[in-house]
Amino acid sequence: MSTGEADDTPRQAWLRSVAADVARLDRSSSAERAADILRRSITEGALPPGSQLSEIELTEVLEVSRNTLREAFRLLTHEGLLVYKLHRGVFVPELDERDVVDLYRLRRVLEVDVVRSLAERDPELPASRLEPLQDDVEAAEAAALVDRWPAVGTANMRFHEHLIGLADSARMDAMTGRLLAELRLVFQVIATPRELHEPYITRNRELFELLEARKYDEAAADLHQYLLDSERGLLEAFRAS
C-alpha cells in the first residue's frame, strides 16, 4: 500500500472500513477473521493489485498480534490472494491473461451448474431466496445513476456470490470467496470501471428475471454466454494494456 500523499485518503478510508468490520465480528479464530476481512477488501476493490500491506497498520486496526496477522497473510498467500516478496514485504498480486482464462473456466463450471441444477433440485425456489440477488441488482442500478462505478462493481460481486449461494453448499461458498477476490483483481486491468461494469447491470437484471420466472435452462444458457462475453472483454483489455 503506497504511503504517498495522493494515496493517503483512500488508505485511511480503507483502514476505517477494516476497523468497522473488526467491531462487527466476533473474537474467535482471529487469523481466519483477519483473513476474511482482507479477502473482502480485495473483493470490494479496496486493495488493488500491487498494494503493499503494512504489518504495523494492520496489527493495530485489526486488533491482532503480529503472529496472528502473519498467519492471516499465510492463509491468503496459500489462496493466491497475497504474495511475499523477499526483503520487500507482502503484496496483493497482479494477475495475467492465463489467470483470466482459468478463473472463467471455473466460473462457468460453478455458476452455470448452480443455475441449471435449480430445475431439478429446487423447482419451486421460494421468492425469498432471490431477494438478495434483487437487492444487488437494485444497488448496482442506484450506484450507476450517481456514477459510483466501483460500488456497481461491488454489487456485481455480491450478485454472483448470492447466485452461487443458491446451491446451499458451504464448500462452494468458501471457494467463491477466493474466486471473487481474484476476479476483482483482474477486473482492475480495465482503467474505467464504467466500461467494465455498465453492460452487466442490465444483464444481471435479465438473469434475475429469468430466475424469478423459473426459466432455469434459459437462465443457464444466458449466464454461459454472459460469462463468455465477460471473459472476452477482459482478455481484450489485457492485450491492449
Side-chain angles (χ1 to χ4, degrees):
M1 199 180 311
S2 171
T3 57
E5 182 177 344
D7 292 331
D8 186 65
T9 298
R11 183 177 76 252
Q12 294 302 322
W14 170 63
L15 289 171
R16 286 194 299 273
S17 74
V18 169
D21 279 342
V22 171
R24 284 193 294 267
L25 296 177
D26 61 49
R27 299 298 184 194
S28 62
S29 305
S30 294
E32 288 84 357
R33 175 171 56 86
D36 184 61
I37 291 172
L38 295 175
R39 188 184 299 108
R40 189 180 310 117
S41 293
I42 295 171
T43 303
E44 296 184 355
L47 285 174
S51 298
Q52 184 175 9
L53 301 188
S54 164
E55 283 192 5
I56 295 173
E57 285 181 334
L58 288 173
T59 51
E60 180 178 348
V61 76
L62 288 169
E63 301 177 11
V64 296
S65 69
R66 184 161 291 191
N67 284 340
T68 296
L69 180 63
R70 288 174 177 171
E71 175 63 12
F73 284 172
R74 188 193 67 77
L75 292 171
L76 293 175
T77 299
H78 180 71
E79 294 180 13
L81 296 179
L82 293 178
V83 293
Y84 174 74
K85 298 183 180 181
L86 189 63
H87 305 311
R88 293 185 60 196
V90 177
F91 293 80
V92 178
E94 299 179 75
L95 305 186
D96 58 24
E97 291 181 45
R98 291 171 299 177
D99 296 304
V100 173
V101 172
D102 198 29
L103 287 167
Y104 272 82
R105 183 183 299 122
L106 179 57
R107 288 193 77 181
R108 287 190 292 272
V109 169
L110 284 178
E111 297 189 45
V112 176
D113 183 70
V114 166
V115 171
R116 186 177 289 119
S117 69
L118 291 174
E120 298 177 358
R121 189 180 63 80
D122 200 356
E124 296 300 322
L125 189 68
S128 61
R129 292 297 307 281
L130 296 177
E131 288 176 1
L133 283 83
Q134 182 175 14
D135 291 342
D136 297 331
V137 169
E138 292 174 353
E141 292 169 341
L145 289 175
V146 292
D147 290 326
R148 295 179 59 235
W149 295 101
V152 173
T154 296
N156 179 62
M157 293 286 97
R158 290 175 178 162
F159 178 86
H160 290 279
E161 180 180 16
H162 290 136
L163 181 69
I164 295 175
L166 295 175
D168 294 322
S169 167
R171 289 179 177 83
M172 290 178 70
D173 289 344
M175 186 182 300
T176 301
R178 172 182 171 180
L179 170 63
L180 294 181
E182 289 190 280
L183 276 172
R184 195 62 180 255
L185 294 178
V186 298
F187 283 172
Q188 295 191 57
V189 72
I190 297 181
T192 307
R194 178 171 186 166
E195 177 187 353
L196 172 65
H197 298 302
E198 189 170 33
Y200 296 93
I201 298 172
T202 300
R203 294 185 78 163
N204 283 351
R205 175 162 286 283
E206 291 170 350
L207 181 57
F208 165 74
E209 290 175 351
L210 288 172
L211 293 172
E212 189 177 39
R214 307 186 192 284
K215 297 179 179 179
Y216 301 123
D217 288 340
E218 188 176 342
D222 183 78
L223 179 58
H224 180 78
Q225 187 60 52
Y226 169 127
L227 294 174
L228 289 174
D229 293 343
S230 180
E231 178 184 12
R232 186 181 305 112
L234 280 169
L235 289 173
E236 289 173 356
F238 266 94
R239 290 160 187 163
S241 63

